[in-house]
């Protein structure tokens, strides 16, 4: 309970920040996961569970605890591996065929990974809490999902998260997020992002996510954002390139110290949703689920 009480300022800001979005929440719709060659791995799936050791990097605003100013911008990077699915047929790890370890040791038959890059802008500061919105040039903020039989994702080295076959590429077009410092060496944040098939080349491959292209849909991605990174610490981000669609991200090796980077641990899950307006969309929210998880763990 002591830990949860520390979260109350963040929870209060987050509740105000996301209240409007929650009032218009999309309805989850089941989908099928496939292997790209016609085999269904699981049907009527509700959600995808991304690793609790996902890695995030805020570039150029370190060290942790450095005061932020309204209007300040920075790049945020993310990468993680799928550890399972919720709902639908079969086991969470797709019958043992899914490698969700991200330790560089191949198990199972394949892995799904996710990578993202976006520019954030500081929109407000409230004591130890800051809020953020989306920045950067239109079309420059991207998220991609990959399928790889090499099973080579490695959190320590940062290799293997953006290689294999790219099965989805979407453009992030809005973001609202919040982060609170709890002390000189710890903090937690949350964010809600929206993306869609907005630029030439954006797509979702139905050979891997069936029932998606035939729907007006979105993807809801929720996660906690924590500092320090701990077991999610990595030597690099976006170090590879897909076999079918090039590399929308540039390799980044973290740099720490004054004016350097801040690394985070990101834990998330996602599910496809119907949305009211035309177009294919991706909805990502980082943090509110994490608050509930942390309360249970406390």
């Amino acid at each position: 309970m002591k830990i949860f009480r520390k979260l109350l300022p963040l929870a209060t800001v987050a509740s105000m920040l996301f209240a409007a979005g929650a009032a218009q929440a999309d309805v989850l719709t089941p989908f099928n996961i496939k292997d790209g060659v016609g085999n269904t791995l699981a049907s009527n799936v509700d959600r995808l569970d991304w690793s609790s050791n996902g890695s995030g990097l805020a570039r150029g605003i370190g060290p942790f605890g450095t005061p932020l100013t309204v209007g300040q911008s920075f790049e945020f990077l993310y990468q993680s591996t799928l550890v399972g699915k919720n709902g639908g047929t079969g086991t969470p790890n797709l019958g043992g065929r899914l490698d969700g370890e991200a330790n560089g040791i191949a198990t199972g038959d394949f892995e799904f990974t996710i990578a993202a890059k976006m520019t954030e802008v500081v929109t407000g500061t409230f004591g130890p809490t800051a809020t953020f919105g989306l920045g950067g040039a239109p079309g420059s903020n991207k998220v991609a999902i990959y399928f790889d039989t090499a099973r080579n994702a490695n959190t320590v080295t940062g290799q293997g998260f953006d290689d294999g076959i790219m099965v989805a590429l979407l453009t992030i077009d809005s973001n609202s997020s919040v982060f609170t410092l709890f002390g000189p060496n710890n903090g937690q944040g949350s964010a809600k992002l929206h993306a869609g098939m907005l630029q030439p080349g954006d797509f979702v491959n139905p050979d891997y996510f069936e029932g998606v292209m035939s729907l007006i849909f979105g993807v809801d991605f929720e996660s906690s954002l924590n500092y320090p990174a701990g077991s999610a610490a990595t030597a690099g981000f976006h170090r590879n390139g897909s076999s079918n669609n090039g590399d929308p991200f540039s390799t980044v090796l973290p740099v720490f110290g004054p004016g350097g980077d801040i690394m985070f641990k990101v834990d998330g899950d996602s599910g496809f949703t119907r949305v009211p307006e035309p177009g294919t969309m991706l909805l990502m929210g980082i943090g509110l689920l994490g608050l509930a998880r942390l309360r249970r763990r406390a």
Side-chain angles (χ1 to χ4, degrees), residues 74-149:
F74 60 94
E75 192 173 70
F76 189 85
L77 311 178
Y78 169 67
Q79 62 191 25
S80 190
T81 189
L82 186 70
V83 296
K85 58 86 180 174
N86 298 321
T89 62
T91 62
N93 64 354
L94 303 177
R97 299 185 63 191
L98 178 67
D99 182 354
E101 296 297 324
N103 59 6
I105 301 173
T107 61
D109 298 322
F110 52 79
E111 65 188 2
F112 282 95
T113 54
I114 187 170
K117 178 183 73 171
M118 68 177 182
T119 299
E120 292 195 77
V121 178
V122 180
T123 57
T125 58
F126 312 91
T129 298
T131 56
F132 309 88
L134 189 68
S140 64
N141 303 300
K142 294 286 187 178
V143 57
I145 299 176
Y146 304 81
F147 175 90
D148 193 6
T149 56

Side-chain angles (χ1 to χ4, degrees), residues 142-210:
K142 294 286 187 178
V143 57
I145 299 176
Y146 304 81
F147 175 90
D148 193 6
T149 56
R151 300 154 289 159
N152 60 345
N154 189 321
T155 298
V156 174
T157 66
Q159 298 279 1
F161 288 96
D162 57 340
D163 61 354
I165 301 170
M166 186 186 296
V167 300
L169 178 66
L170 296 166
T171 300
I172 302 168
D173 65 346
S174 66
N175 166 55
S176 56
S177 57
V178 58
F179 193 87
T180 293
L181 301 176
F182 298 144
N185 294 303
N186 64 88
Q188 187 173 44
S190 60
K192 190 170 186 177
L193 299 86
H194 181 274
M197 294 174 61
L198 307 173
Q199 297 290 325
D202 288 354
F203 73 100
V204 176
N205 190 332
D207 292 335
Y208 296 89
F209 297 115
E210 186 179 48

Side-chain angles (χ1 to χ4, degrees), residues 6-29:
K6 288 184 178 181
L7 293 176
L8 288 178
L10 173 60
T12 300
V13 175
S15 65
M16 294 186 292
L17 191 60
F18 302 133
Q24 301 176 354
D26 299 328
V27 178
L28 286 172
T29 186

